[in-house]
Every structure is written in structure tokens, then in C-alpha cells.
Amino acid sequence: EGRTKLHVLRYAARDYIALALGAVVLAAVILLFKKTVLGTYLYALGGNREAAKLSNIRTDVWNIGVYVITGLLAGVAALLMLLRLNSAQPTAGDGLEFQAVVAAVLGGNLLAGGKGSIPGAIIGALVVYTVRNGLSLAGVNTNAVMVILGIVLVLGMMMNEFAVKGLRKKGA
């Protein structure tokens, strides 16, 4: 009895640590994008690389910096996955990159770059998680879930395209 309670508490504490670490990283990334020159430069690089160069932004240096930050965040994500699974499996994250793209597109981010937000991507991630979890609970095959997420991705891209065209017409 006592050993079981300790076991449950240990796993609960691990989950809270992972949640807290994820929240801290998320807050840091949001602040980085909203309150620093780095965030402004990254939006400029994503929107129009040539315009960023003409604005005297050292695009080659900032591009390498983006890869460094991405690698660091991938390492943090791996740490969170390790805390969640309590084991290091080389295939534990298979398919998550596709779900991340779907979440970003559903959140209003353009694949071409230059438009997007972190809160939008979080909302997109919650939608993807809800759809995936609901289909899993309904007993839908994993391959079918990926196909459905692909359809959701295409619909999200179409919605983004219509929104961009609407903004262009409004602005013109």
C-alpha cells in the first residue's frame, strides 16, 4: 500500500516537472519573439529574406542562430518526452513532426513564412491533440488517424490561403 502511493507520487511529480519545464520554455519563447530584436528579425527572415537583407539584417548569421535555437528546443522536447515516457526510445517521436506542422497551419501560420503566432500554434496543437485523442478513443487505426490529420492539414492550408487572399483584397 505505502509503496504504491510512493510510486504514484513519484510519477505525478515527474509529470508536474515536465509541465512546469514546458511552461517555462513556452513563456521564454513567447517573450523572445515578442520583446526582442531576435523575434523581429526572425519574422523578417520568414516573411521576405531579400527585404531582410536590404534592411541590413545579417541573414546568414541569423539563419544559423535559428538552427541553433531549433536544436536547443528539440533537445528540451526530447527531455520532456523522456520525463513523460520514463525511457529513451529512438522511435518515440515518430510522426510528431507531421503533427507539429498540422498544428502550426491550423494555428494560422503560413508554410511560406512571414505570418504566424505562438498562441495560434498552441491552439492548433490543442486541436490536433483533441482530434488525435478522440479518434484513438474511438478505436480508429493509427494509419487512418494520420490520413485524417493530412486532410485536416490540407483544409487548414486552404483556410489560410483564403484568409490571405481576403486580406489582400481588403488592403488593395
Side-chain angles (χ1 to χ4, degrees), residues 70-160:
T70 302
L72 176 70
L73 291 175
V76 171
L79 178 63
L80 291 173
M81 184 69 86
L82 177 68
L83 284 171
R84 183 172 163 242
L85 298 178
N86 201 28
S87 70
Q89 299 295 324
T91 59
D94 284 355
L96 292 180
E97 62 280 349
F98 175 67
Q99 293 176 33
V101 170
V102 174
V105 169
L106 285 180
N109 296 304
L110 295 178
L111 292 179
K115 180 184 176 290
S117 70
I118 295 172
I122 292 168
I123 291 169
L126 291 173
V127 169
V128 167
Y129 178 77
T130 303
V131 167
R132 195 187 74 205
N133 198 29
L135 291 171
S136 178
L137 290 173
V140 177
N141 184 338
T142 306
N143 293 328
V145 170
M146 295 305 274
V147 169
I148 291 168
L149 285 176
I151 292 168
V152 169
L153 173 64
V154 170
L155 292 174
M157 289 173 65
M158 289 170 51
M159 288 182 350
N160 279 348

Side-chain angles (χ1 to χ4, degrees), residues 26-102:
L26 181 64
V29 169
I30 289 173
L31 286 174
L32 188 76
F33 272 82
K34 294 287 184 186
K35 303 289 184 187
T36 66
V37 174
L38 173 64
T40 306
Y41 283 5
L42 292 183
Y43 274 114
L45 281 172
N48 188 336
R49 189 174 179 86
E50 288 304 313
K53 271 186 183 178
L54 293 173
S55 298
N56 230 8
I57 296 173
R58 294 186 56 197
T59 55
D60 52 345
V61 171
W62 286 104
N63 205 31
I64 292 170
V66 169
Y67 282 115
V68 170
I69 292 169
T70 302
L72 176 70
L73 291 175
V76 171
L79 178 63
L80 291 173
M81 184 69 86
L82 177 68
L83 284 171
R84 183 172 163 242
L85 298 178
N86 201 28
S87 70
Q89 299 295 324
T91 59
D94 284 355
L96 292 180
E97 62 280 349
F98 175 67
Q99 293 176 33
V101 170
V102 174

